[in-house]
Amino acid sequence: MNSATLLSGVSLIYLGAWFGYVICAASRSTWVGRIATSLMAAAWVLNGVGFVHRWLESHDLGHGRIPLTNQYESMIVFAWAIALIYLIIELRYKNRTIGAFVAPLPFLSLGLGSLLFDTNIRPLVPALQSNWLTAHVITCFLGYAAFAVSFGVSVLYILRGRLNPRGIAAGLIPSEEILDHLNYRAIAVGFPFLSIGIITGAIWADVAWGTYWSWDPKETWSLITWLVYAAFLHARLSRGWSGKRTAILSMAGFGATLFTYFGVNFLLSGLHSYA
């Protein structure tokens, strides 16, 4: 079995985990929740196995490169990082309802990556032949994954605010205080990773193109995304913002993240057009 086939199968396990979390949230069934968690953990492990398998395949083909160099491979890492951060949160907070809102994201990342993009392993273009590649891509995607989790938590926060506080549905969802705290913590984790990703990317750009910053669309939108989350942290820590306002700001930040990741690649041309 090649890595692409394996990873396509893993996307279906993520889908099963998502259904499990939804059923768990609706039924409060402990054993369904355990199955959902087991599926998510299994998918995360196999996601990592698929990544390593693809790396070994690259060596077998004579390319010998880490699989982080095109849209498909980045979506493999994106799915893996989201699942990792979610599982840490579930382990820490012992609540599976959040999984109903976060589990679709690794499924969509891996599933759409397998369906829409070239899964063949190709040699590196000259601009990507740098040791800065690994640090730049992994730190950026750990940041993106943390922002994806904060987005799911923020959607849940907004939804909870619309429910009857004494209703059954509200009882299934973590309190607004916990969701607000999770939103902040996820962004507080993701922001340093994005910052390091931008810095390592600038160093890499100087090596590849002879300049640290060229206002390429990907660079510009990365800066916009960074500024949105910097505004979130500033508003939270200095202005005392919390609750609905920070949830909306978090969702806006993830919108900027998605445009940086997908929108720039498909709508704007630039030095990162290979990504």
Side-chain angles (χ1 to χ4, degrees), residues 132-192:
W132 288 103
L133 169 69
T134 304
H136 172 61
V137 175
I138 288 180
T139 51
C140 279
F141 278 94
L142 285 172
Y144 288 0
F147 299 151
V149 172
S150 74
F151 169 77
V153 169
S154 296
V155 171
L156 192 55
Y157 182 94
I158 297 296
L159 175 63
R160 197 185 196 290
R162 295 176 181 274
L163 298 176
N164 179 353
R166 297 182 179 179
I168 295 175
L172 301 174
I173 300 175
S175 68
E176 291 182 334
E177 288 75 16
I178 289 176
L179 294 173
D180 184 58
H181 176 70
L182 278 174
N183 185 24
Y184 164 66
R185 290 296 297 270
I187 290 175
V189 168
F191 187 74

Side-chain angles (χ1 to χ4, degrees), residues 84-100:
L84 171 64
I85 291 175
Y86 168 73
L87 286 168
I88 292 172
I89 288 176
E90 183 183 313
L91 182 65
R92 172 69 177 81
Y93 291 93
K94 311 294 183 188
N95 188 294
R96 295 187 171 101
T97 305
I98 299 170

Side-chain angles (χ1 to χ4, degrees), residues 1 3 27 34 36-37 44-45 51 56 72 104 132 140 149 156 169 186 197-198 233 235 249 252-253 265:
M1 179 185 296
S3 60
S27 66
R34 288 173 179 167
T37 300
W44 175 72
V45 171
F51 177 84
L56 296 176
Y72 171 64
W132 288 103
C140 279
V149 172
L156 192 55
I198 291 175
L233 293 173
L249 196 52
N265 291 357

